[in-house]
Amino acid sequence: MQTALNQTQRLGNLVAELLDLSRVDGGALPLSREVFAIEPFLAGVVAQAGVNEVTLDVSPPDLTANADPARLHQVVANLLDNAARHSPLGKNIVLTARRPGSQGGLLLEVVDGGPGIPTSERARVFERFSRGGADDGGTGLGLAIARWAVELHGGDIAVVGEPPGCRIRVSLPPA
């Protein structure tokens, strides 16, 4: 029964991701920006993601963002899910949030303890159905959805740094 439940949840997630992609392609995913506190927001995403071993580092503690919380939730949840699937058990995942400069905006990073992504594959990991040769149960849609959500905000998402480990950086400009 547990196997059937897991497969049903996996298919449900796939359908939800495909619907999101369809909405993005059709231009039907408008942003609904609002100003919100980052630390409780990210703590909630971590709790909902059910990912263990996450260190949350927000500086300053009263950091806020002017963004669409639903779209930003998708981004962070997808990044945490990938980090959890690629990190060895017991390895900590670090989620940081900073103000990139005096102009405002938001800089998020998710760092895992996995093998990392080779430089030659970094641009492709944000394409649809790209899984970098992994057989981890992923659909290859999560990072594509994250990229589109970040781009809707006028931001950038990229793999930075060198293996071991993977560091994905999200930069959102001031609204």
Side-chain angles (χ1 to χ4, degrees):
M1 287 301 281
Q2 186 61 45
T3 301
L5 178 60
N6 290 344
Q7 288 300 317
T8 300
Q9 288 173 332
R10 187 175 154 309
L11 287 173
N13 291 341
L14 175 61
V15 169
E17 289 174 342
L18 288 171
L19 286 172
D20 279 344
L21 284 177
S22 176
R23 288 184 195 111
V24 166
D25 286 346
L29 258 180
L31 288 180
S32 182
R33 288 183 182 264
E34 60 184 78
V35 176
F36 56 95
I38 286 295
E39 190 163 27
F41 170 80
L42 292 177
V45 176
V46 169
Q48 286 180 354
V51 177
N52 296 327
E53 313 280 339
V54 175
T55 299
L56 180 57
D57 179 16
V58 178
S59 181
D62 63 347
L63 182 64
T64 61
N66 184 347
D68 183 321
R71 300 288 78 84
L72 193 57
H73 185 284
Q74 279 182 305
V75 171
V76 176
N78 279 325
L79 295 179
L80 289 174
D81 178 61
N82 276 2
R85 280 191 280 118
H86 296 286
S87 285
L89 286 176
K91 283 285 192 173
N92 199 38
I93 297 166
V94 179
L95 171 57
T96 61
R98 302 277 184 268
R99 176 93 43 231
S102 61
Q103 300 290 322
L106 181 65
L107 183 70
L108 296 173
E109 288 188 348
V110 175
V111 181
D112 68 40
I117 300 172
T119 305
S120 62
E121 294 181 30
R122 290 182 178 184
R124 288 192 35 237
V125 298
F126 298 102
E127 295 174 4
R128 285 184 196 190
F129 306 113
S130 175
R131 295 180 33 211
D135 190 18
D136 56 8
T139 61
L141 294 173
L143 290 179
I145 291 170
R147 183 191 71 199
W148 283 311
V150 168
E151 288 175 353
L152 281 172
H153 284 87
D156 295 308
I157 185 170
V159 179
V160 297
E162 295 300 320
C166 179
R167 177 183 304 264
I168 297 186
R169 180 175 294 156
V170 173
S171 299
L172 299 182

